[in-house]
Amino acid sequence: MNARPRPPFRADHVGSLLRPQALKQARERFLGPQTPQSHLGPHDSAELRAVEDRCIRECIATQERIGLQAVTDGEFRRRSWWLELILGWEGFAADRTGSTRLRWRNESGVTQGFSELRVKGKIRWRPSSVVRAFEFLKANTKALPKVTMPAPNCVHYYTGGNLGVYEDDELFWDDLIAAYRQELKALVDAGARYLQMDDTSIAFICDPAHREFIRSWGQDPQQLLERYAAKINQALADVPDEVTVTLHQCRGNREGNWAAEGGYDPVAEVLFNQVDVDGYFLEYDSERAGGFEPLRFLPKAKQVVLGLVSTKRASLESESELIEKIKSASRFAPLEQLALSPQCGFASSIKGNPLTQADQEAKLRRVVEVAGRVWGR
């Protein structure tokens, strides 16, 4: 089987990478000690940008050396995978002291509360630090530069149904989608041809506890799911056909913790058939994600990247284990429509997951090696 000429590639990855210690130290040196409320969004430190530039060049070189066809900047300029973009616009504030309604957990139970997004004013787009970061990535790689951003429905979900100054939720959506369209246009104009929207909200709907959370807003989970599909499509309506857009689904990824569990069964038909994207990155590294049966709803024109390699634990998956799981998935979706990646990024926030740089590189190499065996890259 031949390699895919356009993304998502047979061996791919979600985006964020472990921050080097030098970058963590520089961020604290130039921005001050990290607190729940500090430095959530874009910064203006030229000294820190110089350190970021150096570290990003090194992370690009690592990805190219491993053999990845698409590379990211590791999200090295972000403290948070999603707040960097959102807090650069007008209208938003974040509270990271910990929500009492949404909780992170691990094998031992609840660990901490979620960040809460607050709508403090009308939402308006402003020129983005994400676009500037992409321009640097594009100028410094020979591979295909990939840019990641939170999906609009994810932003809505993290408000917890509290839309602040917006008494009419359609007005909220109108302003949010307008900001997304401006952001996407700026990225495309800057040369972006591989865009990934990161989302937890649809995967959260797979969890009965999160469905109850949605009902507490006075909303029906199935209706919200269908609305989310429509809003993603509205945001992407003007993106040219030559740009590949993927949607990443995750049940939460913070320092080895997660926030939801449950298979894709409740959302699969809408996710695969009502969301107008080219492919999906799906978390599939643990029993929390359920089985491969929902892949039977995948239409012929779309791709699924199987997130079989965990970024939450250091142990390296064996080639035979991964090949067997890909074979199992191919019972429900054709092998030519499948690919392989880690299940999420390695560092959705600055601290990162409990792995070493060596663990991370070994896992990315394993993805490339197994993809080569299964698909010939």
Side-chain angles (χ1 to χ4, degrees), residues 308-334:
L308 298 174
V309 174
S310 179
T311 65
K312 288 182 167 66
R313 60 177 184 268
S315 57
L316 181 62
E317 292 80 359
S318 70
E319 286 194 13
S320 59
E321 171 190 1
L322 294 173
I323 290 171
E324 186 58 34
K325 288 182 177 179
I326 294 168
K327 181 179 178 182
S328 296
S330 70
R331 293 171 50 207
F332 302 99

Side-chain angles (χ1 to χ4, degrees), residues 35-37 40 79-80 83 94-98 113-116 254 349:
T35 68
Q37 296 290 359
L40 296 171
R79 172 174 169 180
S80 160
L83 286 172
D95 180 356
R96 300 199 68 164
T97 56
F114 255 63
S115 302
E116 285 194 335
R254 180 181 173 85
S349 60

Side-chain angles (χ1 to χ4, degrees), residues 20 27 29 51 69 96 166 181 227 252 254 261 275 289 296 367:
R27 190 174 181 94
R29 184 165 70 252
V51 179
Q69 293 173 267
R96 300 199 68 164
Y166 290 95
R181 286 183 171 177
R227 194 177 203 188
R254 180 181 173 85
E261 54 190 50
V275 180
R296 69 186 184 277
V367 168

Side-chain angles (χ1 to χ4, degrees), residues 17-30 32 34 48 51 55 76 347 349-353 355 357:
L17 298 169
L18 294 170
R19 274 53 159 190
Q21 192 61 29
L23 179 54
K24 294 180 182 180
Q25 292 171 347
R27 190 174 181 94
E28 183 162 326
R29 184 165 70 252
F30 295 120
Q34 181 172 306
L48 179 54
V51 179
C55 291
F76 280 8
S349 60
I350 286 177
K351 185 174 180 180
N353 286 354
L355 298 87
Q357 296 280 348

Side-chain angles (χ1 to χ4, degrees), residues 71-72 80 92 100 127 169 186 193 200 227 249 268 292 304-305 326 351 361:
V71 305
T72 72
S80 160
F92 291 111
T100 59
D169 61 351
R193 294 298 179 266
T200 60
R227 194 177 203 188
Q249 289 298 305
F292 296 120
V304 161
V305 186
I326 294 168
K351 185 174 180 180
E361 183 162 343

Side-chain angles (χ1 to χ4, degrees), residues 14 72 112 121 215 223 294 312 325 341 365:
V14 169
T72 72
Q112 58 185 300
R215 292 188 183 100
Q223 291 178 356
K312 288 182 167 66
K325 288 182 177 179
S341 76
R365 286 190 182 280

Side-chain angles (χ1 to χ4, degrees), residues 200-217:
T200 60
S201 67
I202 293 176
F204 283 3
I205 294 173
C206 299
D207 188 321
H210 280 270
R211 291 199 291 274
E212 286 304 311
F213 176 59
I214 293 167
R215 292 188 183 100
S216 76
W217 314 348

Side-chain angles (χ1 to χ4, degrees), residues 9 133 148 199 227 249 253 261 278:
F9 296 113
T148 63
D199 174 46
R227 194 177 203 188
Q249 289 298 305
N253 179 51
E261 54 190 50
D278 300 297

